[in-house]
Amino acid sequence: MIDISKKEIWFVTGSQHLYGEETLKQVASHSQIVAAGLNSSDKIPVKIVFKPIVTTPSEITTLCKNASNDDNCIGVITWMHTFSPAKMWIAGLNILSKPLCHLHTQFNAEIPWGSIDMDFMNLNQSAHGDREFGFIMSRMRKKRKVVVGHWQDEKVHAKLGVFSRVALGWNEMQNLKVARIGDNMREVAVTEGDKVEAQIRFGVAVNGFDSSDVVAKINEVTDAQLADLLKVYEASYNLSDALKEGGEKRDSLIEAAKIELGLRAFLEEGGFGAFTDTFENLGALKQLPGIATQRLMADGYGFGGEGDWKTAAMVRVMKVMAYGLEEGTSFMEDYTYHFTPQKSYVLGSHMLEICPSITDKKPSCEVHPLGIGGKEDPVRLVFNSPEGDAINASLVDMGNRFRLIVNEVEAVKPMADLPNLPVARVLWDAKPDLDIAATTWILAGGAHHTVYSQAITTEYMEDFADIAGIELLVIDNNTTVRDFKDKINANEAYYNMFQHRL
């Protein structure tokens, strides 16, 4: 469901003709070696493609134009091996539409103390060549990621890996289609938003469909398809007795399987990477999709409950970023609190739709009343999420801009079993503590829906916000309420003043 096999990042080295052909041959040779070294790193998930060195304004402009028009190119890494006068880059940077990473490195790791001469100095000028290049990007207000260090250092590979994954996510966002099945939950504010502005800013297309469009696909499900999927359920999950063959609620499992098959066919036929639904507009659907939504998310689809198309899009984007990583990513909601004098926690969950990618145990497959929506009892997967660092991310529409809010958290083991809670869940410690985290989240206008991920870190979100040209607010161990208020106020002035340039 996620295919990154054809995606690539171009490695571009800048120089100039001032140094002569022999030096330029060495620059080209070194650049090929660096590109090959990066391409062999297991931390970078896409192919790094060496491009011939650029030394003139026309070469640079042509390369930037080609990168912008190449469907497989998702980003560009630049490096100034020598000095490369930055006015040469203006025309190219003006038309470059792909994410940009500035690698500030040099071919040699250490200074060759005994042999260093002016020939060596003229060849290895990254220390000031990259500063010239950095100035023109700052002068042009060009957002980019800057990575500093030797190209063979694994820390550099890790940062370039983050950039590569975010570029994958941005490429996905640019081409993403979200199906809004039913409309928004009535009278809810934060899940609404300007879908036209979102398409202008991010590229994502959000359009509405009726539940009958899914029901039509459900009616096409064959007995053979249904039998095969039921076998998958039986092999993959611990079915409750009521759902096993001959059990009193077996028909509920059969109906859930039909919904999954129909919903999957609808999404595949329409080329959708994400979807929403709402329990207030289910039409002829007999259940709110539970296990269907959970399994579709596990396969890489984005999802948002109650019509939340922004969260659905971000779930998909962050799943693409995390492709191939072991930890999971899911639609989430801050559901209830555990307040104690010693420490307070958040229990995250939702009515049904938590992705099983965030558990390391075999989920239980159960059926229970929903208590809302007036439909038949839905089937769902029930599990706990493991301990570990994670983030919660929320994309909201502030009217004059989109704001991305990130809270760093640590998932912890529940203090006791939860035998009567029939939903998937995760307990976390919000950084720096629940008091400050909840206060600042509310001040920022953060949604009750989030994307929860143990695979993605704040660094990814920072890079994504830069590429998208949107506001980022981070809540972490260093956050204080007073400073956070000041940042919100400063950002309000900044975005009102400079929005036309972002």
Side-chain angles (χ1 to χ4, degrees):
M1 204 265 144
I2 298 174
D3 182 9
I4 67 171
S5 60
K6 295 181 180 180
K7 302 304 180 184
E8 56 191 38
I9 289 177
W10 291 5
F11 185 79
V12 179
T13 304
S15 187
Q16 62 176 333
H17 283 285
L18 182 65
Y19 306 107
E21 289 304 312
E22 186 59 35
T23 296
L24 291 180
K25 287 179 182 179
Q26 288 181 280
V27 170
S29 175
H30 289 176
S31 298
Q32 287 179 292
I33 293 170
V34 172
L38 298 180
N39 202 34
S40 66
S41 172
D42 59 5
K43 297 184 183 300
I44 301 174
V46 296
K47 185 178 181 181
I48 303 297
V49 176
F50 166 79
K51 290 294 177 178
I53 64 172
V54 288
T55 59
T56 66
S58 60
E59 290 175 351
I60 293 167
T61 302
T62 297
L63 183 137
C64 290
K65 187 182 300 182
N66 291 342
S68 297
N69 293 330
D70 191 298
D71 289 339
N72 292 328
C73 176
I74 61 168
V76 175
I77 297 173
T78 56
W79 170 44
M80 304 303 111
H81 191 316
T82 65
F83 198 76
S84 180
K87 287 174 65 178
M88 296 194 303
W89 288 84
I90 292 174
L93 291 174
N94 266 329
I95 62 175
L96 181 64
S97 62
K98 299 296 174 71
L100 177 61
C101 177
H102 182 188
L103 176 60
H104 184 43
T105 189
Q106 63 184 27
F107 185 71
N108 58 297
E110 299 178 358
I111 294 173
W113 303 106
S115 62
I116 187 170
D117 55 18
M118 282 311 299
D119 287 339
F120 181 95
M121 295 281 276
N122 284 332
L123 176 63
N124 297 283
Q125 296 190 60
S126 304
H128 76 289
D130 277 327
R131 282 171 167 78
E132 165 76 355
F133 184 59
F135 165 76
I136 201 62
M137 287 192 288
S138 295
R139 176 66 177 80
M140 295 173 68
R141 310 304 196 265
K142 188 78 176 179
K143 294 289 188 180
R144 73 281 191 190
K145 185 181 183 73
V146 178
V147 175
V148 178
H150 192 254
W151 59 274
Q152 291 178 310
D153 192 329
E154 288 196 357
K155 291 184 291 186
V156 169
H157 294 178
K159 290 182 179 181
L160 293 175
V162 170
F163 169 76
S164 302
R165 290 183 176 278
V166 176
L168 281 168
W170 178 246
N171 177 259
E172 177 65 24
M173 188 71 131
Q174 292 275 287
N175 299 284
L176 181 60
K177 293 170 63 179
V178 179
R180 211 176 188 204
I181 303 167
D183 195 35
N184 201 56
M185 182 179 174
R186 298 175 196 123
E187 307 296 345
V188 177
V190 76
T191 48
E192 288 282 14
D194 189 336
K195 295 187 285 292
V196 174
E197 181 61 27
Q199 192 160 354
I200 294 169
R201 172 63 65 181
F202 303 112
V204 59
V206 184
N207 288 291
F209 296 84
D210 191 75
S211 58
S212 62
D213 296 312
V214 177
V215 172
K217 293 298 177 185
I218 293 173
N219 292 336
E220 296 174 1
V221 171
T222 67
D223 290 341
Q225 289 175 313
L226 187 59
D228 288 344
L229 184 54
L230 289 171
K231 289 178 183 176
V232 172
Y233 288 175
E234 290 163 352
S236 303
Y237 314 115
N238 296 316
L239 267 60
S240 65
D241 290 341
L243 295 178
K244 293 177 180 177
E245 193 166 0
E248 59 181 305
K249 292 286 187 177
R250 181 69 174 187
D251 286 346
S252 295
L253 188 67
I254 293 171
E255 189 62 35
K258 288 180 180 178
I259 291 172
E260 178 182 338
L261 290 165
L263 183 53
R264 189 181 292 272
F266 168 78
L267 295 172
E268 289 177 352
E269 184 177 290
F272 300 108
F275 68 101
T276 73
D277 61 25
T278 173
F279 58 83
E280 288 183 316
N281 194 352
L282 292 175
L285 288 172
K286 294 182 180 180
Q287 302 175 15
L288 177 65
I291 189 174
T293 299
Q294 292 177 291
R295 283 174 46 81
L296 284 164
M297 269 196 289
D299 287 342
Y301 284 94
F303 172 76
E306 293 90 52
D308 189 350
W309 55 271
K310 296 185 296 298
T311 302
M314 287 304 298
V315 170
R316 169 64 178 181
V317 166
M318 290 171 66
K319 280 184 173 290
V320 171
M321 290 182 190
Y323 180 76
L325 301 178
E326 293 183 3
E327 297 84 358
T329 299
S330 177
F331 171 70
M332 187 59 68
E333 180 173 276
D334 296 65
Y335 221 100
T336 194
Y337 292 136
H338 179 69
F339 282 129
T340 73
Q342 296 78 29
K343 191 75 174 175
S344 298
Y345 300 92
V346 180
L347 184 64
S349 186
H350 202 251
M351 295 184 295
L352 304 172
E353 309 97 340
I354 302 300
C355 180
S357 70
I358 67 168
T359 186
D360 55 359
K361 300 292 192 300
K362 189 175 184 178
S364 172
C365 184
E366 304 176 12
V367 59
H368 301 277
L370 186 59
I372 191 169
K375 291 290 184 174
E376 295 179 4
D377 300 345
V379 176
R380 79 291 303 271
L381 300 175
V382 179
F383 52 82
N384 289 323
S385 187
E387 303 166 59
D389 292 333
I391 62 168
N392 273 306
S394 171
L395 180 67
V396 296
D397 184 350
M398 297 303 294
N400 65 337
R401 65 190 183 277
F402 287 97
R403 171 181 284 172
L404 181 60
I405 308 154
V406 176
N407 186 195
E408 297 182 356
V409 304
E410 181 184 359
V412 299
K413 184 178 180 181
M415 290 70 184
D417 292 334
L418 300 161
N420 298 311
L421 184 62
V423 288
R425 58 270 175 159
V426 54
L427 186 70
W428 66 74
D429 175 12
K431 305 299 180 184
D433 58 45
L434 182 54
D435 181 356
I436 295 174
T439 298
T440 51
W441 188 274
I442 290 169
L443 287 170
H448 54 285
H449 291 163
T450 64
V451 187
Y452 172 87
S453 181
Q454 289 190 324
I456 299 301
T457 66
T458 301
E459 183 180 359
Y460 292 77
M461 297 293 94
E462 182 177 359
D463 288 355
F464 178 84
D466 280 343
I467 292 169
I470 61 173
E471 180 184 12
L472 174 69
L473 293 174
V474 176
I475 304 166
D476 58 17
N477 268 327
N478 297 318
T479 299
T480 67
V481 174
R482 182 179 294 116
D483 288 345
F484 199 82
K485 286 181 178 179
D486 287 344
K487 185 170 185 178
I488 289 175
N489 292 334
N491 284 3
E492 196 68 48
Y494 172 81
Y495 281 94
N496 281 329
M497 187 178 301
F498 295 110
Q499 184 65 26
H500 66 286
R501 300 190 67 177
L502 301 175

